Amino acid sequence: MKSIIFDLDLTLVDSTIAEVARSRRDWQLVYSLIPRFTLYPGMEDVFQFIRSNGIKAAIVSTAPSVYVQRVVNYFNIPVNVIVGYHDAARKPSPDGMFLAIQRMDTTASNTISFGDRAIDIQASRAAGIRSVACLWGTKERNALTLSNPEVIISNPEDILFYL
């Protein structure tokens, strides 16, 4: 693959501690909690592979870009493009996926996406992108597996097999 699209929360980082604050849109509290988020085990290896191989990477999230950028900066996540809440119609619309592909100057056929929710899979499929369901952080396992992903993986290290 020449490019990757990730969801952020519960795919790359465990941000569960901020769920209540996010639902209240208390962004100052959310930002203060970022140091308590954790990367999933094996994710550093994925990031190193992306860096070492010059793979273009994007995050398409239903969260605001400012939040995504702060998490990316804190964990030094290697992404070229961020598409957030205010940048495109929200998933399951494919608009964010299309925007990420455009900004990475790539094509859907050269892209693979990884997400923890059915809307991630639906948006990817609607954009013609190969979709991978990530089970390690999902809070909607049944809906995710029923969303017809092309691949289902259980560990972050499994991402490496698809890069």
Side-chain angles (χ1 to χ4, degrees):
M1 285 294 127
K2 294 183 180 173
S3 57
I4 305 165
I5 297 175
F6 290 111
D7 178 58
L8 177 64
D9 296 291
L10 305 181
T11 300
L12 299 180
V13 298
D14 184 348
S15 56
T16 306
I17 192 168
E19 280 182 7
V20 172
R22 282 184 61 183
S23 69
R24 292 184 190 150
R25 292 181 168 73
D26 184 348
W27 292 104
Q28 291 311 310
L29 178 55
V30 172
Y31 299 153
S32 74
L33 292 171
I34 290 172
R36 295 175 60 191
F37 293 6
T38 56
L39 282 178
Y40 288 104
M43 210 51 80
E44 281 293 350
D45 293 336
V46 172
F47 296 162
Q48 185 55 45
F49 187 89
I50 290 168
R51 287 184 194 100
S52 297
N53 292 280
I55 297 171
K56 293 179 182 177
I59 290 176
V60 176
S61 176
T62 56
S65 296
V66 172
Y67 161 78
V68 175
Q69 188 65 61
R70 286 182 183 219
V71 175
V72 163
N73 291 346
Y74 185 83
F75 289 101
N76 193 26
I77 300 171
V79 295
N80 311 89
V81 171
I82 292 172
V83 177
Y85 177 89
H86 298 96
D87 300 319
R90 283 173 274 156
K91 299 179 250 180
S93 166
D95 292 359
M97 300 295 181
F98 287 133
L99 184 56
I101 288 169
Q102 178 187 3
R103 289 181 177 173
M104 287 190 289
D105 191 28
T106 190
T107 63
S109 62
N110 284 332
T111 305
I112 188 166
S113 75
F114 297 87
D116 68 295
R117 298 177 63 199
I119 61 170
D120 298 320
I121 305 307
Q122 293 160 353
S124 297
R125 292 179 63 78
I129 298 169
R130 188 169 179 215
S131 58
V132 178
C134 303
L135 297 181
W136 51 86
T138 189
K139 296 196 182 316
E140 55 178 61
R141 188 180 188 101
N142 288 339
L144 180 61
T145 56
L146 293 173
S147 66
N148 202 22
E150 290 167 89
V151 178
I152 298 173
I153 58 176
S154 300
N155 300 296
E157 298 88 2
D158 296 341
I159 292 171
L160 294 170
F161 293 111
Y162 299 97
L163 302 183

